[in-house]
């Protein structure tokens, strides 16, 4: 069975109102509805760039010990974290996994590497 949930580690981390930094999270694969439903959201209609905020809020299941991942949380991510999550979202939803195809600079051999959360 193909995995549908993928762990990630944010490069910077989300700082909550109590000063806690949340970096470890889990994102699930998106459904067709996840990608269609936000198109009716007035925030997306007013600013198509807001689509990514809604998509991430719908597909991030966990981030640290936060109980509710909503657009307001995503809006307060550092830019590096937002870029990282956009790439992660694309990779898992296009490929069904979080691996990269890479080429050895010495022998030109091609292989895949699994992304590992930083610090591990």
């Amino acid at each position: 069975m193909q995995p549908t949930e993928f762990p990630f580690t944010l490069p910077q981390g989300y700082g909550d109102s109590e000063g806690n930094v949340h970096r470890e999270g889990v994102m699930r694969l998106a459904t067709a509805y996840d990608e269609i439903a936000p198109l009716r959201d007035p925030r997306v209609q007013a600013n198509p760039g807001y689509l990514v905020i809604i998509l991430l809020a719908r597909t991030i299941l966990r981030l640290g010990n936060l109980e509710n991942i909503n657009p307001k949380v995503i809006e307060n991510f550092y830019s590096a974290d937002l870029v990282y999550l956009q790439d992660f979202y694309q990779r898992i939803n296009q490929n069904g996994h979080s691996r990269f195809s890479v080429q050895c600079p010495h022998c030109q051999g091609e292989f895949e590497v699994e992304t590992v959360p930083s610090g591990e």
Side-chain angles (χ1 to χ4, degrees), residues 39-56:
L39 299 175
R40 293 190 308 257
D41 189 296
R43 295 169 293 187
V44 174
Q45 291 175 349
N47 178 2
Y50 201 78
L51 177 62
V52 69
I53 302 296
I54 303 287
L55 284 173
L56 292 175

Side-chain angles (χ1 to χ4, degrees), residues 46-95:
N47 178 2
Y50 201 78
L51 177 62
V52 69
I53 302 296
I54 303 287
L55 284 173
L56 292 175
R58 292 178 68 93
T59 57
I60 294 174
L61 299 176
R62 288 184 293 286
L63 182 60
N65 62 359
L66 295 177
E67 294 183 14
N68 186 19
I69 310 299
N70 57 49
K72 202 52 136 173
V73 169
I74 307 297
E75 287 174 3
N76 287 298
F77 281 178
Y78 289 107
S79 188
D81 292 336
L82 187 62
V83 168
Y84 170 83
L85 287 170
Q86 286 176 290
D87 177 65
F88 191 75
Y89 177 94
Q90 289 296 324
R91 224 173 331 119
I92 67 172
N93 284 289
Q94 287 178 1
N95 304 325

